[in-house]
Amino acid sequence: MRTYLLNAVWLLLLLSLACKEAPNETRSTATLPVYKDVPYFQDYSIKYMSNNEDLELYSAYMDRNKLIQIASSKGVLRTHDGQFLYPGILMQDKTYRPLTDKNITAMTLYEDQFIYLDDKAVLSNAWAGTLYLKHDLPKASLFSAGRDFSFLISDGSALQYVSKNNKGWKGEVANDLVISIEFDNKKSIYYILGKKSVTAFDPNKQSQTKIVEGENFTSLAIMNANLIIGTLDGYLEVASATGKKISETHKDLPWTEITCIENIDGNLWFGSTKGAFMLKEDGKYNYYYGKRWLPGNMVRHISKANDGSILILTDDGLGQIVFEEMTLFDKAQYFEKQVRHRHIRLGFNSTLVDLDNGNIDSGRLSDSDNDGLWTTMYLAGQAFRYSVTKSEEALQNCMEAMDAMERLFDINPVPGFPSRSYERSGYIERLGDPERWQHTDDPEWDWKSTTSSDEAIGHIFAYGVMAELMDNELKDRAIVLIDTLMSHIVKNDLYLVDFDGKPTTWGRWNPEYVNERPKMVGDRKINASNIVAMLQTAYHFTGKEKYKEKAFDLMENHGYLDNLMWPMKDVAMAPDDADDWSKMLSESWNHSDDEMYFLGYWGLYRYAFNDTLKTKFKESIIDHWEIERPEKEGAWNIMTALTGTQEFDLEEAAWYLREHPMDLVTWDIMNSHRKDITFIEPNFREQTLTEVLPPDERRVQRHNGNMFRLDKVGNDGGEEYSAGDIWLLPYWMGRYLGIISEPMVE
């Protein structure tokens, strides 16, 4: 096969020069909106595991020296090791031996220095160790720092105020148990939270005033002279001066069982029994749930670190949420490394599987039914990257991916038939779907059969991009592969015919199959749209009339133009009298079809035979995009821009790229319990909410997934996806189309 490919290059070049191509859709950035790639804050998590079931964690702080310490039931702990994707641990802090001998029950910060509470005193190692204020509460476990080295202490029932200039006021809260103390620096007032009350203590007058009474109080913060009181069922706001409720209890939260609240730079952060969340200016929340962000979901304490990160202490360890300033280009550079370091198998863009609880060094690269598809999406992204940057690295990435893609054709005995995948021999029984694997003539290798239309459209999309954009041998190799695959399909009456001489289950574009489906069944529209796009691409780059003739035959004599122009709003379930196959195909919206449509739109629009068809195809693409808009899918919004339309939701595309998590491990995700989202009735599209959640609050998924799927449970931390198709394709496509700028530093 390889010899044929090389010899065919020169013939195809002569054919392409001899034929008159359709007008080429060149890049035009003059009239399209452009996202300016200025720095934004990207969040990610560094986790520290406790690995001790008997350990209770109380609070965590970072001092001015960037040291993190944790108060626990076994004394003071510190963080060890730990970086993004490589969790550290919590271990006993032995750096100052006299401190390890003390019964430390709590800690806090004062002037960014660690302050400790033990059974005898408030003390610190800062200020040359001169801070040592004795108290008379041997079971003290709560305290808060005020002004001028003063502190209010409690053991849950009794209170004591100590300072350098005070012998020590004592008191208690009547008919309540103290669970927290907060100091209002503006008013110089301590607020004492009980399970059913909040009391103010004035250290100057040494007097108490009950502010508000209630029930099931759990936590307290101060915000704009108001008290924010967490409960077991939401939170309420109370005017600190009058004790009057400002509003009804807020329950429209990701979760209402509040465990802690913190005012950090004017933003309210909440800990709960199901993760942590921050209230944004627009009234929505950033939600941090699951091992993507936190070691555990029971949040014990939240504090701002001295480096701008947020420390979220859970029952299973500490999650440090880091906010790093970067551009989309910076993020792309990280993802480029992620792909090359961990996701290249024999040149394919692959998934890392069998991870041990998210340990990315413990996994193995897996074959996939869609090795060809995921690789073509990565390959196209790298071709866009090369076109924009002329990066030698991008060119080499394309070379290696093309080697893998060509071998999909070479390794099996069927002319022009692309394998799904291939692997070294001896693993068939250990691989998924062993019945699909076939032996080759070479005893060292096996190949995977039953290739589907998903792979076919991915092949033609990527090769079309390369044939158009590349200015080297890859252009010629891409044209050969376009002709090789499409010759097979046309020769076999618009079927992918496998080694057994039979069409594969999904590689079917023949009118007898396509038009057997009722018009509302999506397979009729998708197959018509894809095959026309594929034939147009083949004609555009080879000039062979058989492709043009077949496409017009399908459109004029078999209704394929009508099929592909069928309105997306009318795609629906098959009627009761339809055949069983059509009913199966239309049980719900097929998001893999969305992926196939949009990959096909590159060839459908860009290589349209004439302007009349191009206008119709643009109408069809925008009609589809209108249906997809609620998903805010970055790749589909960016792909729609190729039509030149002014409206393609550029900001939502940039939102997708910014909000996408950098951690692509398949952690368990839960959102169905949330009370801050609005559910809608079950529907054909399987849209669950009025508004899609940000990508970093959803499961990691490819473009063929339902963006409205709320939960992912099972195989927690078992895989890491590649960014090659998920993120790099839409980013570099946006750069090529000119709708995402080069990085801009303000």
Side-chain angles (χ1 to χ4, degrees):
M1 180 70 178
R2 179 61 60 85
T3 302
Y4 163 73
L5 295 178
L6 294 175
N7 290 338
V9 167
W10 301 108
L11 176 60
L12 285 170
L13 284 176
L14 292 173
L15 286 171
S16 63
L17 291 172
C19 71
K20 182 179 180 181
E21 295 183 351
N24 187 18
E25 184 74 14
T26 58
R27 264 196 301 173
S28 176
T29 61
T31 61
L32 293 179
V34 179
Y35 172 76
K36 294 182 179 180
D37 188 17
V38 297
Y40 69 97
F41 284 102
Q42 174 70 51
D43 51 353
Y44 59 87
S45 178
I46 300 174
K47 290 163 284 190
Y48 302 90
M49 318 305 289
S50 67
N51 298 326
N52 189 334
E53 295 181 357
D54 298 327
L55 183 66
E56 291 187 51
L57 304 174
Y58 302 144
S59 60
Y61 295 96
M62 178 188 285
D63 73 352
R64 64 180 298 272
N65 303 312
K66 308 293 190 295
L67 174 66
I68 298 174
Q69 287 188 341
I70 299 92
S72 78
S73 58
K74 296 187 178 181
V76 177
L77 309 178
R78 65 178 297 157
T79 57
H80 170 68
D81 207 358
Q83 54 184 302
F84 178 53
L85 295 181
Y86 291 89
I89 61 171
L90 301 181
M91 59 184 297
Q92 186 179 12
D93 191 328
K94 301 178 181 179
T95 53
Y96 188 63
R97 187 167 63 180
L99 205 62
T100 63
D101 295 332
K102 293 185 178 296
N103 182 27
I104 304 296
T105 58
M107 60 182 295
T108 190
L109 288 179
Y110 182 76
E111 296 183 354
D112 288 330
Q113 303 280 11
F114 291 131
I115 310 293
Y116 308 102
L117 175 68
D118 73 359
D119 52 357
K120 297 178 181 178
V122 175
L123 65 149
S124 178
N125 291 327
W127 307 286
T130 57
L131 178 63
Y132 190 85
L133 301 175
K134 293 183 178 181
H135 63 77
D136 301 322
L137 302 177
K139 294 184 179 181
S141 59
L142 302 167
F143 76 135
S144 181
R147 291 180 179 172
D148 301 324
F149 296 94
S150 61
F151 302 86
L152 185 61
I153 306 165
S154 178
D155 60 5
S157 56
L159 294 162
Q160 185 172 0
Y161 176 70
V162 297
S163 70
K164 288 184 175 181
N165 303 315
N166 190 288
K167 294 183 179 180
W169 171 90
K170 295 180 181 179
E172 63 181 21
V173 176
N175 302 317
D176 207 353
L177 294 176
V178 179
I179 56 178
S180 180
I181 305 171
E182 296 292 332
F183 182 72
D184 187 337
N185 195 56
K186 291 183 178 180
K187 295 184 176 181
S188 191
I189 294 290
Y190 290 94
Y191 291 100
I192 306 161
L193 177 70
K195 290 187 175 182
K196 53 185 179 180
S197 67
V198 178
T199 302
F201 172 71
D202 186 334
N204 295 319
K205 299 178 181 178
Q206 297 196 350
S207 61
Q208 296 183 70
T209 304
K210 186 159 290 187
I211 302 297
V212 65
E213 292 184 307
E215 59 183 9
N216 296 323
F217 292 169
T218 62
S219 47
L220 176 68
I222 302 165
M223 182 83 164
N224 299 329
N226 296 327
L227 303 179
I228 311 299
I229 304 172
T231 76
L232 295 176
D233 191 21
Y235 76 92
L236 53 95
E237 299 177 70
V238 173
S240 60
T242 64
K244 291 184 178 180
K245 292 183 180 179
I246 296 174
S247 64
E248 295 299 318
T249 303
H250 295 273
K251 297 184 180 182
D252 53 341
L253 317 174
W255 190 238
T256 58
E257 194 171 5
I258 306 300
T259 56
C260 58
I261 307 177
E262 190 71 22
N263 176 1
I264 299 178
D265 297 332
N267 294 314
L268 284 176
W269 284 78
F270 299 84
S272 77
T273 55
K274 290 188 178 181
F277 40 94
M278 186 202 80
L279 178 61
K280 300 189 295 184
E281 291 183 0
D282 61 3
K284 300 175 184 178
Y285 293 89
N286 285 335
Y287 188 32
Y288 299 92
Y289 175 96
K291 292 179 182 177
R292 175 184 295 160
W293 300 108
L294 307 172
N297 288 316
M298 172 67 78
V299 179
R300 301 296 187 187
H301 182 255
I302 299 176
S303 68
K304 178 185 177 182
N306 196 261
D307 61 359
S309 63
I310 304 297
L311 304 181
I312 302 178
L313 188 66
T314 75
D315 52 346
D316 290 322
L318 176 69
Q320 182 181 9
I321 310 300
V322 177
F323 297 89
E324 181 177 338
E325 192 174 60
M326 64 175 62
T327 62
L328 291 181
F329 178 77
D330 295 329
K331 193 171 185 177
Q333 299 313 293
Y334 166 76
F335 278 141
E336 295 287 356
K337 293 177 181 177
Q338 186 249 18
V339 176
R340 303 311 301 182
H341 285 181
R342 302 195 290 276
H343 292 280
I344 301 300
R345 183 188 73 88
L346 302 173
F348 293 122
N349 175 45
S350 300
T351 300
L352 202 60
V353 303
D354 292 345
L355 304 186
D356 180 11
N357 195 31
N359 181 349
I360 57 175
D361 293 329
S362 67
R364 65 174 177 86
L365 288 167
S366 175
D367 72 280
S368 165
D369 273 6
N370 299 115
D371 274 341
L373 176 59
W374 308 145
T375 304
T376 55
M377 295 172 77
Y378 172 60
L379 177 56
Q382 293 302 295
F384 288 130
R385 178 188 176 194
Y386 177 73
S387 179
V388 170
T389 67
K390 297 304 177 185
S391 162
E392 288 297 319
E393 179 183 75
L395 180 60
Q396 182 63 27
N397 295 344
C398 290
M399 291 283 191
E400 293 180 15
M402 272 296 281
D403 287 344
M405 298 306 296
E406 286 173 336
R407 198 174 184 206
L408 287 174
F409 291 85
D410 291 346
I411 203 166
N412 72 67
V414 185
F417 183 84
S419 311
R420 283 187 180 272
S421 185
Y422 51 80
E423 186 53 276
R424 297 183 187 278
S425 61
Y427 290 90
I428 287 182
E429 289 72 21
R430 297 163 59 182
L431 297 169
D433 299 322
E435 69 281 357
R436 298 188 183 186
W437 286 89
Q438 310 298 324
H439 297 298
T440 71
D441 293 337
D442 183 344
E444 295 298 320
W445 293 93
D446 296 319
W447 68 281
K448 198 171 192 179
S449 61
T450 70
T451 305
S452 75
S453 54
D454 304 59
E455 280 68 59
I457 192 61
H459 281 263
I460 298 302
F461 163 62
Y463 304 150
V465 170
M466 296 182 70
E468 179 179 344
L469 304 186
M470 288 297 184
D471 53 4
N472 47 51
E473 68 172 271
L474 287 175
K475 179 185 185 77
D476 306 333
R477 291 165 66 182
I479 294 173
V480 168
L481 288 184
I482 292 171
D483 192 38
T484 299
L485 175 55
M486 294 310 298
S487 288
H488 172 96
I489 292 172
V490 171
K491 178 182 177 181
N492 288 288
D493 204 15
L494 302 183
Y495 290 106
L496 275 179
V497 175
D498 215 332
F499 71 97
D500 57 3
K502 299 178 182 178
T504 64
T505 302
W506 301 110
R508 299 166 181 252
W509 301 273
N510 184 283
E512 289 186 3
Y513 172 82
V514 172
N515 290 334
E516 186 179 3
R517 314 277 78 78
K519 285 191 174 182
M520 76 287 296
V521 175
D523 254 43
R524 181 162 175 157
K525 178 178 171 72
I526 182 62
N527 281 304
S529 180
N530 274 185
I531 193 61
V532 170
M534 293 159 70
L535 290 167
Q536 284 188 157
T537 303
Y539 175 73
H540 184 85
F541 291 108
T542 71
K544 292 186 177 181
E545 289 295 326
K546 65 179 180 180
Y547 298 128
K548 185 176 183 179
E549 291 171 359
K550 179 58 67 174
F552 275 103
D553 176 55
L554 293 174
M555 288 190 286
E556 294 175 351
N557 301 321
H558 298 282
Y560 274 40
L561 182 58
D562 291 337
N563 287 347
L564 71 86
M565 293 299 294
W566 181 264
M568 272 293 176
K569 65 180 178 59
D570 294 333
V571 172
M573 297 177 67
D576 292 339
D577 60 351
D579 62 284
D580 290 342
W581 189 255
S582 294
K583 290 180 180 179
M584 180 277 294
L585 290 171
S586 61
E587 289 176 348
S588 63
W589 193 270
N590 190 323
H591 295 275
S592 287
D593 281 1
D594 290 329
E595 183 173 70
M596 294 167 62
Y597 277 116
F598 277 95
L599 294 183
Y601 289 158
W602 186 268
L604 187 69
Y605 179 80
R606 208 161 179 91
Y607 312 132
F609 290 121
N610 54 57
D611 289 341
T612 300
L613 285 174
K614 178 168 281 192
T615 300
K616 286 183 174 293
F617 296 155
K618 178 177 180 177
E619 177 186 339
S620 178
I621 293 168
I622 293 177
D623 172 70
H624 188 183
W625 169 75
E626 287 282 0
I627 291 288
E628 292 297 312
R629 293 182 76 177
E631 296 193 10
K632 299 184 180 181
E633 221 292 347
W636 307 161
N637 286 328
I638 290 170
M639 182 71 81
T640 302
L642 75 89
T643 66
T645 180
Q646 288 290 306
E647 189 176 9
F648 54 89
D649 289 349
L650 174 61
E651 179 50 42
E652 281 73 9
W655 172 85
Y656 170 92
L657 295 171
R658 292 193 308 266
E659 293 289 327
H660 205 283
M662 296 179 69
D663 181 347
L664 300 187
V665 174
T666 58
W667 300 112
D668 282 359
I669 298 293
M670 292 291 292
N671 285 296
S672 56
H673 62 274
R674 294 176 62 165
K675 300 183 179 182
D676 64 325
I677 52 181
T678 303
F679 293 87
I680 61 177
E681 292 296 321
N683 53 81
F684 179 65
R685 281 188 58 84
E686 296 182 334
Q687 181 174 334
T688 54
L689 308 173
T690 56
E691 184 175 7
V692 71
L693 294 171
D696 62 357
E697 297 178 17
R698 310 191 300 246
R699 60 175 182 152
V700 172
Q701 60 189 49
R702 294 185 170 92
H703 301 293
N704 65 339
N706 180 2
M707 301 300 166
F708 283 94
R709 182 176 174 183
L710 296 175
D711 302 335
K712 178 264 168 188
V713 180
N715 196 24
D716 191 16
E719 298 181 353
E720 185 192 47
Y721 282 14
S722 167
D725 49 294
I726 294 173
W727 200 94
L728 291 174
L729 171 61
Y731 171 74
W732 286 115
M733 187 191 306
R735 288 290 305 275
Y736 171 74
L737 293 174
I739 60 174
I740 298 175
S741 78
E742 62 184 9
M744 304 172 67
V745 180
E746 294 182 332

